[in-house]
PDB file of all heavy atoms in Angstrom:
ATOM      1  N   PRO A 100      20.237 -83.256  52.234  1.00 96.00           N
ATOM      2  CA  PRO A 100      20.959 -82.864  53.452  1.00 96.00           C
ATOM      3  C   PRO A 100      20.869 -83.782  54.658  1.00 96.00           C
ATOM      4  O   PRO A 100      19.846 -84.532  54.741  1.00 96.00           O
ATOM      5  CB  PRO A 100      20.421 -81.505  53.679  1.00 96.00           C
ATOM      6  CG  PRO A 100      19.585 -80.990  52.450  1.00 96.00           C
ATOM      7  CD  PRO A 100      19.219 -82.352  51.851  1.00 96.00           C
ATOM      8  N   ALA A 101      21.790 -83.469  55.598  1.00 96.00           N
ATOM      9  CA  ALA A 101      21.648 -84.137  56.954  1.00 96.00           C
ATOM     10  C   ALA A 101      20.359 -83.586  57.595  1.00 96.00           C
ATOM     11  O   ALA A 101      19.929 -82.403  57.380  1.00 96.00           O
ATOM     12  CB  ALA A 101      22.876 -83.812  57.749  1.00 96.00           C
ATOM     13  N   TYR A 102      19.780 -84.337  58.451  1.00 96.00           N
ATOM     14  CA  TYR A 102      18.487 -83.952  59.121  1.00 96.00           C
ATOM     15  C   TYR A 102      18.581 -84.665  60.560  1.00 96.00           C
ATOM     16  O   TYR A 102      19.296 -85.489  60.932  1.00 96.00           O
ATOM     17  CB  TYR A 102      17.295 -84.449  58.319  1.00 96.00           C
ATOM     18  CG  TYR A 102      17.156 -86.020  58.228  1.00 96.00           C
ATOM     19  CD1 TYR A 102      16.442 -86.695  59.095  1.00 96.00           C
ATOM     20  CD2 TYR A 102      17.733 -86.697  57.244  1.00 96.00           C
ATOM     21  CE1 TYR A 102      16.155 -88.073  58.863  1.00 96.00           C
ATOM     22  CE2 TYR A 102      17.718 -88.028  56.962  1.00 96.00           C
ATOM     23  CZ  TYR A 102      16.842 -88.642  57.959  1.00 96.00           C
ATOM     24  OH  TYR A 102      16.803 -90.065  57.794  1.00 96.00           O
ATOM     25  N   LEU A 103      17.721 -83.927  61.437  1.00 96.00           N
ATOM     26  CA  LEU A 103      17.652 -84.265  62.810  1.00 96.00           C
ATOM     27  C   LEU A 103      16.440 -85.116  63.101  1.00 96.00           C
ATOM     28  O   LEU A 103      15.315 -84.716  62.655  1.00 96.00           O
ATOM     29  CB  LEU A 103      17.607 -83.073  63.703  1.00 96.00           C
ATOM     30  CG  LEU A 103      17.632 -83.291  65.174  1.00 96.00           C
ATOM     31  CD1 LEU A 103      18.917 -83.889  65.670  1.00 96.00           C
ATOM     32  CD2 LEU A 103      17.393 -81.940  65.893  1.00 96.00           C
ATOM     33  N   GLU A 104      16.656 -86.355  63.568  1.00 94.00           N
ATOM     34  CA  GLU A 104      15.501 -87.253  63.728  1.00 94.00           C
ATOM     35  C   GLU A 104      15.569 -87.813  65.204  1.00 94.00           C
ATOM     36  O   GLU A 104      16.421 -88.576  65.524  1.00 94.00           O
ATOM     37  CB  GLU A 104      15.567 -88.461  62.713  1.00 94.00           C
ATOM     38  CG  GLU A 104      14.351 -89.398  62.755  1.00 94.00           C
ATOM     39  CD  GLU A 104      14.640 -90.598  61.807  1.00 94.00           C
ATOM     40  OE1 GLU A 104      15.619 -91.290  61.924  1.00 94.00           O
ATOM     41  OE2 GLU A 104      13.640 -90.711  60.921  1.00 94.00           O
ATOM     42  N   ASN A 105      14.531 -87.387  65.929  1.00 89.00           N
ATOM     43  CA  ASN A 105      14.446 -87.970  67.278  1.00 89.00           C
ATOM     44  C   ASN A 105      15.722 -87.778  68.103  1.00 89.00           C
ATOM     45  O   ASN A 105      16.301 -88.584  68.967  1.00 89.00           O
ATOM     46  CB  ASN A 105      14.026 -89.421  67.365  1.00 89.00           C
ATOM     47  CG  ASN A 105      12.817 -89.713  66.611  1.00 89.00           C
ATOM     48  OD1 ASN A 105      11.839 -88.979  66.876  1.00 89.00           O
ATOM     49  ND2 ASN A 105      12.567 -90.938  66.001  1.00 89.00           N
ATOM     50  N   GLY A 106      16.178 -86.532  67.893  1.00 88.00           N
ATOM     51  CA  GLY A 106      17.520 -86.152  68.730  1.00 88.00           C
ATOM     52  C   GLY A 106      18.799 -86.658  68.107  1.00 88.00           C
ATOM     53  O   GLY A 106      19.919 -86.442  68.698  1.00 88.00           O
ATOM     54  N   VAL A 107      18.694 -87.425  66.824  1.00 90.00           N
ATOM     55  CA  VAL A 107      19.949 -87.969  66.395  1.00 90.00           C
ATOM     56  C   VAL A 107      20.036 -87.329  64.990  1.00 90.00           C
ATOM     57  O   VAL A 107      19.004 -87.245  64.182  1.00 90.00           O
ATOM     58  CB  VAL A 107      19.846 -89.541  66.221  1.00 90.00           C
ATOM     59  CG1 VAL A 107      21.168 -90.067  65.565  1.00 90.00           C
ATOM     60  CG2 VAL A 107      19.818 -90.118  67.731  1.00 90.00           C
ATOM     61  N   VAL A 108      21.230 -86.956  64.622  1.00 96.00           N
ATOM     62  CA  VAL A 108      21.498 -86.395  63.269  1.00 96.00           C
ATOM     63  C   VAL A 108      21.794 -87.504  62.251  1.00 96.00           C
ATOM     64  O   VAL A 108      22.765 -88.367  62.513  1.00 96.00           O
ATOM     65  CB  VAL A 108      22.719 -85.360  63.135  1.00 96.00           C
ATOM     66  CG1 VAL A 108      23.020 -85.050  61.794  1.00 96.00           C
ATOM     67  CG2 VAL A 108      22.397 -84.233  64.168  1.00 96.00           C
ATOM     68  N   ARG A 109      20.980 -87.640  61.247  1.00 96.00           N
ATOM     69  CA  ARG A 109      21.160 -88.584  60.134  1.00 96.00           C
ATOM     70  C   ARG A 109      21.905 -88.020  59.001  1.00 96.00           C
ATOM     71  O   ARG A 109      21.477 -86.877  58.514  1.00 96.00           O
ATOM     72  CB  ARG A 109      19.779 -89.114  59.749  1.00 96.00           C
ATOM     73  CG  ARG A 109      18.990 -89.685  60.855  1.00 96.00           C
ATOM     74  CD  ARG A 109      19.587 -90.813  61.461  1.00 96.00           C
ATOM     75  NE  ARG A 109      18.745 -91.488  62.595  1.00 96.00           N
ATOM     76  CZ  ARG A 109      19.043 -92.382  63.393  1.00 96.00           C
ATOM     77  NH1 ARG A 109      20.342 -92.932  63.280  1.00 96.00           N
ATOM     78  NH2 ARG A 109      18.273 -92.914  64.290  1.00 96.00           N
ATOM     79  N   THR A 110      22.946 -88.720  58.468  1.00 97.00           N
ATOM     80  CA  THR A 110      23.715 -88.075  57.382  1.00 97.00           C
ATOM     81  C   THR A 110      23.345 -88.369  55.983  1.00 97.00           C
ATOM     82  O   THR A 110      22.386 -89.221  55.840  1.00 97.00           O
ATOM     83  CB  THR A 110      25.180 -88.348  57.614  1.00 97.00           C
ATOM     84  OG1 THR A 110      25.344 -89.837  57.610  1.00 97.00           O
ATOM     85  CG2 THR A 110      25.888 -87.810  58.787  1.00 97.00           C
ATOM     86  N   SER A 111      23.653 -87.672  55.051  1.00 96.00           N
ATOM     87  CA  SER A 111      23.343 -87.814  53.563  1.00 96.00           C
ATOM     88  C   SER A 111      23.631 -89.301  53.119  1.00 96.00           C
ATOM     89  O   SER A 111      24.572 -89.972  53.665  1.00 96.00           O
ATOM     90  CB  SER A 111      23.968 -86.894  52.836  1.00 96.00           C
ATOM     91  OG  SER A 111      23.708 -85.512  53.353  1.00 96.00           O
ATOM     92  N   ASP A 112      22.986 -89.621  52.189  1.00 94.00           N
ATOM     93  CA  ASP A 112      23.116 -90.999  51.428  1.00 94.00           C
ATOM     94  C   ASP A 112      24.655 -91.188  51.091  1.00 94.00           C
ATOM     95  O   ASP A 112      25.281 -90.317  50.375  1.00 94.00           O
ATOM     96  CB  ASP A 112      22.244 -91.138  50.200  1.00 94.00           C
ATOM     97  CG  ASP A 112      20.875 -91.159  50.497  1.00 94.00           C
ATOM     98  OD1 ASP A 112      20.520 -91.312  51.719  1.00 94.00           O
ATOM     99  OD2 ASP A 112      20.067 -91.014  49.664  1.00 94.00           O
ATOM    100  N   GLY A 113      25.224 -92.311  51.544  1.00 96.00           N
ATOM    101  CA  GLY A 113      26.576 -92.634  51.150  1.00 96.00           C
ATOM    102  C   GLY A 113      27.676 -91.967  52.006  1.00 96.00           C
ATOM    103  O   GLY A 113      28.840 -92.397  51.825  1.00 96.00           O
ATOM    104  N   PHE A 114      27.243 -91.092  52.834  1.00 97.00           N
ATOM    105  CA  PHE A 114      28.350 -90.408  53.696  1.00 97.00           C
ATOM    106  C   PHE A 114      28.975 -91.331  54.690  1.00 97.00           C
ATOM    107  O   PHE A 114      30.118 -91.398  54.984  1.00 97.00           O
ATOM    108  CB  PHE A 114      27.718 -89.184  54.503  1.00 97.00           C
ATOM    109  CG  PHE A 114      27.774 -87.937  53.630  1.00 97.00           C
ATOM    110  CD1 PHE A 114      27.509 -87.960  52.292  1.00 97.00           C
ATOM    111  CD2 PHE A 114      28.069 -86.684  54.203  1.00 97.00           C
ATOM    112  CE1 PHE A 114      27.631 -86.746  51.601  1.00 97.00           C
ATOM    113  CE2 PHE A 114      28.196 -85.546  53.637  1.00 97.00           C
ATOM    114  CZ  PHE A 114      27.922 -85.638  52.180  1.00 97.00           C
ATOM    115  N   ALA A 115      28.120 -92.277  55.416  1.00 97.00           N
ATOM    116  CA  ALA A 115      28.643 -93.097  56.356  1.00 97.00           C
ATOM    117  C   ALA A 115      29.663 -94.061  55.750  1.00 97.00           C
ATOM    118  O   ALA A 115      30.774 -94.304  56.357  1.00 97.00           O
ATOM    119  CB  ALA A 115      27.556 -93.887  57.068  1.00 97.00           C
ATOM    120  N   GLU A 116      29.404 -94.476  54.570  1.00 97.00           N
ATOM    121  CA  GLU A 116      30.321 -95.438  53.816  1.00 97.00           C
ATOM    122  C   GLU A 116      31.594 -94.779  53.479  1.00 97.00           C
ATOM    123  O   GLU A 116      32.694 -95.307  53.531  1.00 97.00           O
ATOM    124  CB  GLU A 116      29.658 -96.159  52.677  1.00 97.00           C
ATOM    125  CG  GLU A 116      28.468 -97.024  53.137  1.00 97.00           C
ATOM    126  CD  GLU A 116      27.104 -96.309  53.454  1.00 97.00           C
ATOM    127  OE1 GLU A 116      27.162 -95.171  53.220  1.00 97.00           O
ATOM    128  OE2 GLU A 116      26.252 -96.912  53.779  1.00 97.00           O
ATOM    129  N   ALA A 117      31.322 -93.491  53.084  1.00 97.00           N
ATOM    130  CA  ALA A 117      32.619 -92.820  52.690  1.00 97.00           C
ATOM    131  C   ALA A 117      33.436 -92.398  53.789  1.00 97.00           C
ATOM    132  O   ALA A 117      34.695 -92.524  53.741  1.00 97.00           O
ATOM    133  CB  ALA A 117      32.175 -91.455  51.878  1.00 97.00           C
ATOM    134  N   TYR A 118      32.815 -91.945  54.884  1.00 98.00           N
ATOM    135  CA  TYR A 118      33.703 -91.697  56.079  1.00 98.00           C
ATOM    136  C   TYR A 118      34.291 -92.901  56.550  1.00 98.00           C
ATOM    137  O   TYR A 118      35.563 -92.931  57.006  1.00 98.00           O
ATOM    138  CB  TYR A 118      32.807 -91.122  57.153  1.00 98.00           C
ATOM    139  CG  TYR A 118      33.619 -90.932  58.385  1.00 98.00           C
ATOM    140  CD1 TYR A 118      34.471 -89.850  58.568  1.00 98.00           C
ATOM    141  CD2 TYR A 118      33.502 -91.854  59.445  1.00 98.00           C
ATOM    142  CE1 TYR A 118      35.281 -89.620  59.578  1.00 98.00           C
ATOM    143  CE2 TYR A 118      34.355 -91.686  60.636  1.00 98.00           C
ATOM    144  CZ  TYR A 118      35.220 -90.548  60.688  1.00 98.00           C
ATOM    145  OH  TYR A 118      36.020 -90.352  61.762  1.00 98.00           O
ATOM    146  N   ARG A 119      33.676 -94.013  56.514  1.00 97.00           N
ATOM    147  CA  ARG A 119      34.343 -95.327  56.845  1.00 97.00           C
ATOM    148  C   ARG A 119      35.642 -95.568  56.106  1.00 97.00           C
ATOM    149  O   ARG A 119      36.665 -96.064  56.645  1.00 97.00           O
ATOM    150  CB  ARG A 119      33.431 -96.420  56.874  1.00 97.00           C
ATOM    151  CG  ARG A 119      33.806 -97.794  57.604  1.00 97.00           C
ATOM    152  CD  ARG A 119      32.669 -98.768  57.606  1.00 97.00           C
ATOM    153  NE  ARG A 119      31.472 -98.221  58.096  1.00 97.00           N
ATOM    154  CZ  ARG A 119      30.228 -98.295  57.529  1.00 97.00           C
ATOM    155  NH1 ARG A 119      30.288 -98.747  56.276  1.00 97.00           N
ATOM    156  NH2 ARG A 119      29.174 -97.817  58.070  1.00 97.00           N
ATOM    157  N   ALA A 120      35.568 -95.304  54.748  1.00 98.00           N
ATOM    158  CA  ALA A 120      36.719 -95.491  53.919  1.00 98.00           C
ATOM    159  C   ALA A 120      37.856 -94.547  54.422  1.00 98.00           C
ATOM    160  O   ALA A 120      39.010 -94.886  54.245  1.00 98.00           O
ATOM    161  CB  ALA A 120      36.350 -95.234  52.524  1.00 98.00           C
ATOM    162  N   ILE A 121      37.470 -93.416  54.709  1.00 98.00           N
ATOM    163  CA  ILE A 121      38.607 -92.330  55.280  1.00 98.00           C
ATOM    164  C   ILE A 121      39.161 -92.855  56.619  1.00 98.00           C
ATOM    165  O   ILE A 121      40.412 -92.904  56.648  1.00 98.00           O
ATOM    166  CB  ILE A 121      37.862 -90.903  55.448  1.00 98.00           C
ATOM    167  CG1 ILE A 121      37.440 -90.391  54.220  1.00 98.00           C
ATOM    168  CG2 ILE A 121      38.860 -90.066  56.200  1.00 98.00           C
ATOM    169  CD1 ILE A 121      36.633 -89.076  54.274  1.00 98.00           C
TER     170      ILE A 121
END
Side-chain angles (χ1 to χ4, degrees):
Y102 61 95
L103 186 62
E104 180 182 62
N105 298 324
V107 177
V108 175
R109 306 296 182 189
T110 50
S111 305
D112 293 349
F114 271 40
E116 295 78 10
Y118 176 77
R119 195 173 305 120
I121 294 172

